Amino acid sequence: MEDVHVHEVAIVGAGFGGLGMAIRLKQEGTDDFVLIERGDDVGGTWWANSYPGCQCDIPSNLYSFSFARNPDWDRAYPMRDQILEYLRDCARRFGILPHTRVGCELLAATWVADAQRWELETTTGPLAARVLVAAPGLLSEPSTPDLPGFERFEGNAFHTADWDHSDDLTGKRVALIGAGATAVQVVPEIQPRVGRLHLFQRTPPWVIPHTDHPVAVGMRDLYRRLPALQKLSRAGIYAIRESLAFGITRDRRWLKATELNARLHLRRQVPDPKLRARLTPDYEIFCKRIILSSRWYPAIQAPNVDLVGSGIAEVREHSVVDGDGVEREIDTLIYATGFKPAELPIAERIRGSDGSSLAEVWQGSPQAYLGTTVAGFPNLLFFYGPNTNLGHSSIVYVLESQFAYALDALHTMRQLGAAEFEVRPEVQEVYNEELQERLADSVWNTGGCGSWYFDRNGRNSIQWPGFTFEYRRRTRRFDAESYRLASAW
Ligand SMILES: Cc1cc2nc3c(=O)[nH]c(=O)nc-3n(C[C@H](O)[C@H](O)[C@H](O)COP(=O)(O)OP(=O)(O)OC[C@H]3O[C@@H](n4cnc5c(N)ncnc54)[C@H](O)[C@@H]3O)c2cc1C
């Protein structure tokens, strides 16, 4: 790789994380960076997920970049197309497109100690950089269950994150697996047009009424003319959301009002007590992500919907057989089965100073310091990394905290004339012990549900156990004392 230009920074992934970091670099005057994205466009989650009904569940006055305000949101909780357009617009507006290579997948990234740089193999050729920012997303690798007999299935099958728009489902017999955040958005959209919908629900979710509403044109005008008003709305949403973190991690009594809201919602929308019992979760509220919908219960009570609780025992050529042995003829099988957050393929592709990959070091339980840096992997900044996910607020807020930390790391390197930073293993260890101790009492760990927050070793490697302002405070400054720094050879 002798003749390859060595960028100051290479960023992998063009979602909110990678794109936001690119914008912040540009704003800070760093121009020598490259942003690669395996998809055909920027947008990440919001490019990949095009299923009907796809919508954010945090109001976009908060779920957007603080440095790229948008007064034009047409709903409190915008639909996917508008969020994607916002991200595309950010890429254009902040001059990121000339740095961006779409359709470019990272195949391998190796830390070359002698040269103090990362060498990247991608589907469009080699790259090199002093610092590697991995922003591959947490919810970017679809998870599909292995269904016995699936290889015989002759109908159409797809995951919600890879929606097949050529199959318009009209009049079709559809099996949809899952009753989580995605299923709740998809089902009300497709139920009116499918012939029959067999909905395979393993665990019912807690659902509260949606508070979405259009944003009046006058309000948008006001936001344009008085930016402080939108900032105020952002702060208000942030504060309300943060109060939930108190309940989740400190005092569950705080969550009782939300539980009551969910129970009343169920009672109001589902008159049949037997069905209500099947739709009542047997675990604590917030143990899994809470769901907003005013259309889910009406949709699943429609005459063309069967709610199946016994799972899928077998798939045949044109049918599925449920756990009670009932065979159901189907044309299309849809997986609304979520993602594999703790088993990201990129972890197998990034190799640190002793040649081991992140996956080999992690052994199924991802760990980092501040969810961002990993011992043994110099000059690597991992975004939306281990234990940075939230159950109550905007991931963009977490990502912006990581941008600040990353920028300060670069700034510190320049200031100290350092060519390498690597978190000290003991710092990472103490940090993770603290997180796990705090998580032990959280509703996620003790609320009686199984969830994707737990990795294959049964460890919660996903959730941040506190307020987001604590995370922001801890990432505000690059704490050089927690790192081994080395100057250029
Ligand atoms: C349907 C859905 C709804 C959501 N709604 C909300 C919400 O309302 N509020 C909220 O806070 N969060 C929500 N999330 C979480 C959401 O993922 C984050 O808010 C945010 O979009 C994460 O941004 P990111 O850039 O870290 O990851 P992503 O948006 O996932 O982007 C990562 C990018 O990295 C690319 N990539 C991965 N590996 C490689 C590779 N090897 N080479 C090149 N490129 C690669 C991927 O293709 C992807 O484009 C939602 C997630 C989903 C799936």
Side-chain angles (χ1 to χ4, degrees):
M1 252 192 213
E2 284 314 306
D3 49 355
V4 172
H5 171 72
V6 184
H7 293 280
E8 194 165 342
V9 183
I11 307 171
V12 183
F16 265 108
L19 193 55
M21 181 64 192
I23 295 171
R24 294 291 295 114
L25 278 173
K26 195 103 183 162
Q27 287 177 329
E28 297 285 311
T30 301
D31 227 32
D32 186 10
F33 66 89
V34 60
L35 170 61
I36 69 169
E37 166 55 54
R38 70 182 170 187
D40 293 336
D41 200 349
V42 300
T45 291
W46 303 102
W47 178 77
N49 288 270
S50 62
Y51 61 79
C54 185
Q55 183 178 23
C56 61
D57 62 9
I58 302 285
S60 272
N61 274 355
L62 179 61
Y63 188 64
S64 51
F65 292 127
S66 63
F67 47 81
R69 222 174 33 80
N70 176 20
D72 294 322
W73 297 118
D74 61 3
R75 317 195 59 78
Y77 298 79
M79 304 302 293
R80 171 260 184 181
D81 284 356
Q82 199 179 21
I83 303 173
L84 176 58
E85 200 35 59
Y86 165 77
L87 289 170
R88 283 179 176 146
D89 181 56
C90 286
R92 278 191 298 264
R93 201 151 41 105
F94 290 96
I96 305 306
L97 293 179
H99 299 264
T100 308
R101 300 186 191 179
V102 293
C104 175
E105 178 166 354
L106 177 76
L107 301 173
T110 309
W111 174 252
V112 181
D114 294 344
Q116 295 179 301
R117 70 188 197 195
W118 284 96
E119 292 187 355
L120 279 58
E121 254 176 67
T122 78
T123 46
T124 64
L127 288 169
R130 295 275 161 226
V131 171
L132 177 63
V133 173
L138 189 69
L139 306 178
S140 52
E141 297 300 328
S143 162
T144 47
D146 285 329
L147 298 174
F150 177 73
E151 61 292 345
R152 280 185 289 165
F153 185 55
E154 290 180 8
N156 191 17
F158 53 88
H159 190 280
T160 49
D162 194 13
W163 193 267
D164 180 356
H165 291 276
S166 69
D167 186 349
D168 96 334
L169 305 175
T170 302
K172 294 224 177 132
R173 298 162 302 181
V174 176
L176 187 140
I177 309 175
T182 302
V184 169
Q185 293 184 341
V186 170
V187 166
E189 294 296 318
I190 64 170
Q191 172 271 320
R193 67 172 186 271
V194 300
R196 182 122 226 116
L197 180 63
H198 304 279
L199 177 61
F200 289 84
Q201 167 195 272
R202 193 173 48 186
T203 327
W206 283 104
V207 184
I208 58 171
H210 215 311
T211 52
D212 190 21
H213 54 84
V215 180
V217 175
M219 193 67 195
R220 289 182 240 164
D221 271 354
L222 263 181
Y223 283 157
R224 211 167 292 117
R225 280 187 280 128
L226 280 176
L229 196 63
Q230 197 172 24
K231 271 194 182 165
L232 197 67
S233 156
R234 187 181 180 93
I237 298 164
Y238 176 78
I240 292 167
R241 294 270 156 188
E242 228 37 34
S243 72
L244 292 172
F246 179 77
I248 292 170
T249 60
R250 304 274 170 93
D251 187 343
R252 311 264 181 92
R253 283 173 302 182
W254 197 251
L255 306 177
K256 284 290 169 200
T258 314
E259 182 181 328
L260 184 64
N261 187 10
R263 285 189 188 280
L264 289 175
H265 183 49
L266 179 63
R267 181 170 284 271
R268 265 193 309 266
Q269 292 204 325
V270 182
D272 173 6
K274 273 198 191 143
L275 179 60
R276 222 162 42 222
R278 293 179 67 200
L279 293 172
T280 305
D282 61 359
Y283 56 87
E284 281 185 53
I285 197 158
F286 284 99
C287 184
K288 289 172 186 256
R289 192 171 180 87
I290 189 161
I291 284 169
L292 312 178
S293 179
S294 303
R295 297 169 64 209
W296 166 247
Y297 292 136
I300 60 179
Q301 291 170 90
N304 64 341
V305 178
D306 294 324
L307 184 67
V308 190
S310 58
I312 293 183
E314 189 191 345
V315 181
R316 296 184 182 158
E317 284 80 355
H318 301 285
S319 63
V320 289
V321 180
D322 71 22
D324 295 328
V326 178
E327 183 168 3
R328 296 158 188 276
E329 300 277 319
I330 60 161
D331 306 299
T332 302
L333 180 56
I334 302 175
Y335 296 104
T337 42
F339 299 87
K340 291 188 278 195
E343 308 278 347
L344 296 177
I346 201 167
E348 288 162 22
R349 301 178 181 187
I350 298 180
R351 294 193 174 271
S353 33
D354 75 354
S356 306
S357 67
L358 281 169
E360 284 160 354
V361 171
W362 284 342
Q363 294 291 311
S365 288
Q367 285 194 40
Y369 174 57
L370 298 172
T372 312
T373 52
V374 185
F377 294 79
N379 295 13
L380 171 68
L381 295 153
F382 204 99
F383 285 176
Y384 200 2
N387 294 104
T388 58
N389 190 52
L390 307 173
H392 68 287
S393 192
S394 166
I395 297 304
V396 180
Y397 186 89
V398 171
L399 289 168
E400 286 195 26
S401 307
Q402 294 186 298
F403 303 161
Y405 194 72
L407 288 172
D408 201 37
L410 296 175
H411 178 69
T412 308
M413 278 172 80
R414 268 183 228 127
Q415 236 181 8
L416 301 179
E420 277 180 52
F421 61 90
E422 181 189 346
V423 65
R424 298 180 186 281
E426 64 279 14
V427 171
Q428 182 178 318
E429 199 179 316
V430 169
Y431 172 79
N432 278 281
E433 277 167 11
E434 178 212 322
L435 285 195
Q436 291 302 320
E437 235 166 68
R438 289 169 63 180
L439 282 166
D441 295 329
S442 70
V443 69
W444 306 303
N445 286 38
T446 60
C449 69
S451 72
W452 53 267
Y453 304 151
F454 291 86
D455 60 38
R456 68 171 131 106
N457 305 316
R459 177 179 179 277
N460 186 338
S461 301
I462 302 294
Q463 296 298 89
W464 167 251
F467 297 103
T468 58
F469 53 76
E470 180 196 338
Y471 186 74
R472 174 132 314 178
R473 179 179 51 74
R474 292 174 81 156
T475 48
R476 175 154 286 139
R477 188 183 68 81
F478 179 72
D479 43 339
E481 63 281 6
S482 302
Y483 288 77
R484 173 188 71 75
L485 299 177
S487 41
W489 301 132

